[in-house]
Amino acid sequence: MDSRRAFLKTAGVLLGAIVMPAQSRAEGLLERRIPKTGEALPAVGLGTWQVFDVAGDSRELGQAKETLRVFVEGGGRMVDSSPMYGSSEQVTGQLATDLGVRSKLFVATKVWTSGKQAGIRQMEESLRKLRLNSLDLMQVHNLVDAQTHLATLRDWKAAGRIRYLGITHYHAGAHGDLEQLVKKGDIDFVQVNYSLAEPEAERRLLGAAAEAGTAVIVNRPFAEGAMFRRVRDRALPEWAKEAGAASWAQFFLKWIVAQPAVTCVIPGTRNPRHVADNLGALAGPLPDAALRRRMAEHFNSL
Ligand SMILES: NC(=O)c1ccc[n+]([C@@H]2O[C@H](COP(=O)([O-])OP(=O)(O)OC[C@H]3O[C@@H](n4cnc5c(N)ncnc54)[C@H](OP(=O)(O)O)[C@@H]3O)[C@@H](O)[C@H]2O)c1
């Protein structure tokens, strides 16, 4: 082999190792558009409750760093945090800076306090911890003092300090209140629990969100991990591959993201293997309505 061919071969191997895998992973991944703007987002994100509250433990911090690295390399963008999640905002800001991936992320956090000035102070603090001057999405956590904070968020959005505003809850008992706010029309994102174990949002809320042009973030996609305990000893059914699911996590996530109103699902993990598994739900076929019904029947029979 002459030296030029040898060089091209080496370069090809290097390019294959460095450039191509990232490109091919990014190709064909499931994206959803944010209804109010048309901006595209990968349909699987990353939750940080508990799992990124690790500022005091260098081993766990290393796990979180590797998880975020794998997440971004695999095409993930949305990371969801809150001042309620201990050191998770600070850890997200630190790791995104260390990894040099801040510009690749779509960062969502929340305001979780009462009173206008307390809310403003908390949001300023969140930006500082996340090491950002402006934020992609600020949400009112669990609807705490929602009217007060939404007024501030409208001002912040007009001033360019946040790009989107939203509201969240984690429990079906609050879906009616979320729906009322969504119907007012200027809520960019609603974040809500929705899974095979907690499907109540599809009764009314998801339809109301679609009608109002509100993007939907799904939290608790595994019912905080309880769904894995339910299927622990069970093999995936053979027909799961029709839904493009190669693991139980993908089975659960594909069922969620196949719901047309859903914009992004945010499973929580600090395990790099799990985040790669979850991003697997961005590839391959999605279940149609009949297959989703079969998936639900199967899960409910376990
Ligand atoms: N009110 C609100 O605004 C609100 C409320 C609840 C949640 N949230 C947001 O939603 C996110 C997700 O909800 P969540 O964390 O409560 O529950 P979840 O995502 O339903 O479940 C998290 C659990 O699933 C496990 N897991 C993740 N991926 C896995 C995989 N591929 N295979 C096996 N196990 C896996 C994790 O364990 P490992 O760590 O071992 O992977 C963790 O124990 C939160 O992190 C938070 O950002 C918001």
Side-chain angles (χ1 to χ4, degrees):
M1 188 184 295
D2 65 34
S3 59
R4 187 162 167 270
R5 278 177 60 211
F7 168 78
L8 287 174
K9 190 170 178 215
T10 309
V13 169
L14 281 175
L15 275 176
I18 296 167
V19 179
M20 294 312 288
Q23 280 183 356
S24 57
R25 269 194 292 275
E27 275 168 18
L29 296 185
L30 178 67
E31 290 188 328
R32 282 286 159 74
R33 296 204 176 270
I34 298 169
K36 295 264 196 271
T37 59
E39 179 182 353
L41 265 184
V44 176
L46 177 64
T48 64
W49 181 48
Q50 295 178 314
V51 287
F52 271 44
D53 181 13
V54 293
D57 186 312
S58 59
R59 190 181 63 89
E60 292 180 335
L61 194 60
Q63 293 167 348
K65 185 173 183 179
E66 181 60 6
T67 298
L68 188 63
R69 191 190 68 74
V70 171
F71 176 68
V72 174
E73 192 186 294
R77 288 193 59 212
M78 180 183 285
V79 177
D80 176 73
S81 192
S82 170
M84 188 207 201
Y85 302 166
S87 62
S88 120
E89 289 181 315
Q90 177 199 326
V91 164
T92 301
Q94 177 189 333
L95 296 183
T97 305
D98 291 353
L99 289 165
V101 299
R102 270 196 309 186
S103 64
K104 296 188 175 171
L105 297 179
F106 182 104
V107 181
T109 194
K110 311 190 186 88
V111 54
W112 181 65
T113 186
S114 293
K116 186 174 178 70
Q117 289 312 319
I120 289 171
R121 273 196 302 276
Q122 190 180 64
M123 293 193 293
E124 299 278 9
E125 188 66 1
S126 291
L127 283 172
R128 192 186 63 74
K129 288 178 178 167
L130 288 162
R131 306 190 192 193
L132 296 169
N133 296 320
S134 63
L135 191 74
D136 294 303
L137 169 62
M138 182 67 83
Q139 309 154 100
V140 181
H141 198 150
N142 288 352
L143 296 175
V144 176
D145 205 2
Q147 297 299 352
T148 302
H149 299 315
L150 282 173
T152 308
L153 292 183
R154 288 180 189 111
D155 291 345
W156 276 39
K157 190 175 158 184
R161 300 205 70 188
I162 58 172
R163 297 202 300 130
Y164 298 101
L165 60 82
I167 50 180
T168 82
H169 214 286
Y170 68 97
H171 191 269
H175 289 182
D177 292 339
L178 292 174
E179 184 185 342
Q180 290 313 310
L181 283 168
V182 158
K183 281 182 167 166
K184 289 190 194 298
D186 76 340
I187 304 294
D188 300 319
F189 279 84
V190 60
Q191 182 186 140
V192 66
N193 59 313
Y194 179 56
S195 68
L196 279 163
E198 298 174 355
E200 296 87 347
E202 69 191 7
R203 278 191 211 138
R204 293 173 56 101
L205 181 57
L206 296 184
E211 205 166 304
T214 298
V216 175
I217 299 175
V218 171
N219 64 35
R220 295 175 54 82
F222 307 135
E224 212 183 313
M227 291 164 69
F228 292 109
R229 294 190 282 284
R230 188 146 150 194
V231 300
R232 187 169 32 206
D233 300 325
R234 316 262 179 172
L236 264 184
E238 171 65 17
W239 48 264
K241 59 171 170 289
E242 292 171 36
S247 66
W248 279 113
Q250 292 174 19
F251 187 97
F252 300 150
L253 294 174
K254 289 251 176 176
W255 183 86
I256 292 169
V257 295
Q259 216 293 346
V262 170
T263 310
C264 186
V265 57
I266 49 167
T269 186
R270 192 180 63 243
N271 181 324
R273 278 181 294 110
H274 286 173
V275 86
D277 183 14
N278 297 342
L279 287 173
L282 290 173
L286 280 183
D288 62 13
L291 190 49
R292 283 185 89 236
R293 274 196 299 279
R294 188 176 186 189
M295 294 164 90
E297 281 163 15
H298 184 70
F299 181 74
N300 291 333
S301 75
L302 298 176

